């Protein structure tokens, strides 16, 4: 079992920045692809960004492309989501997720962290 712990959420004005972190304490997750998802009130959870186990491949939702950056530090068992030029529509609970490299489905999820962007 992989435990994922997110941090870094909060309240920010439109145009501001936040950096989310997701740690897997006590376990090396260098064999896991990692992703960030979000869920706004009344909406389904949606994909935001992903990064391969090596960090060489990244993927972004069109809605965040050019504004968000996903990265990882395998030595620290941590994945990050740098969010810039935030918009009110980015307001959501953000979830970190992990899956074994090569698997199709994310099997490990964090508890979520709230991001609120005021206009």
């Amino acid at each position: 079992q992989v435990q994922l712990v997110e941090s870094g959420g909060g309240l920010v004005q439109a145009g501001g920045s936040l950096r989310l972190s997701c740690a897997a304490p006590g376990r090396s997750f260098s064999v896991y692809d990692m992703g960030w998802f979000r869920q706004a009130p009344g909406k389904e959870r949606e994909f935001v960004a992903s990064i391969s186990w090596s960090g060489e491949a990244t993927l972004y939702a069109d809605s965040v492309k050019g504004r968000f950056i996903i990265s990882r530090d395998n030595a620290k068992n941590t994945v990050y989501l740098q969010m810039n030029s935030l918009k009110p529509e980015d307001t959501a609970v953000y979830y970190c997720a992990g899956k074994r490299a090569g698997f199709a489905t994310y099997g490990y999820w964090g508890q979520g962290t709230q991001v609120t962007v005021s206009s």
Side-chain angles (χ1 to χ4, degrees), residues 18-85:
L18 281 176
R19 188 176 81 156
L20 305 182
S21 299
C22 173
R27 188 180 184 105
S28 174
F29 70 1
S30 60
V31 296
Y32 295 90
D33 297 332
M34 300 298 295
W36 287 96
F37 293 76
R38 67 186 181 186
Q39 187 167 20
K43 295 186 177 181
E44 294 187 353
R45 187 165 55 191
E46 64 175 1
F47 169 80
V48 175
S50 65
I51 187 166
S52 63
W53 67 271
S54 65
E56 292 181 352
T58 58
L59 187 64
Y60 297 91
D62 287 344
S63 59
V64 306
K65 201 172 294 183
R67 299 187 298 123
F68 291 10
I69 301 171
I70 188 171
S71 62
R72 66 190 297 161
D73 185 339
N74 285 344
K76 295 182 178 180
N77 293 351
T78 303
V79 63
Y80 305 97
L81 185 68
Q82 178 67 43
M83 305 185 295
N84 302 318
S85 302

Side-chain angles (χ1 to χ4, degrees), residues 10-18 85-92 114-119:
L11 173 65
V12 64
Q13 288 188 332
S17 298
L18 281 176
S85 302
L86 283 161
K87 304 175 181 179
E89 50 264 45
D90 294 318
T91 295
Q114 177 70 46
V115 172
T116 302
V117 184
S118 63
S119 57

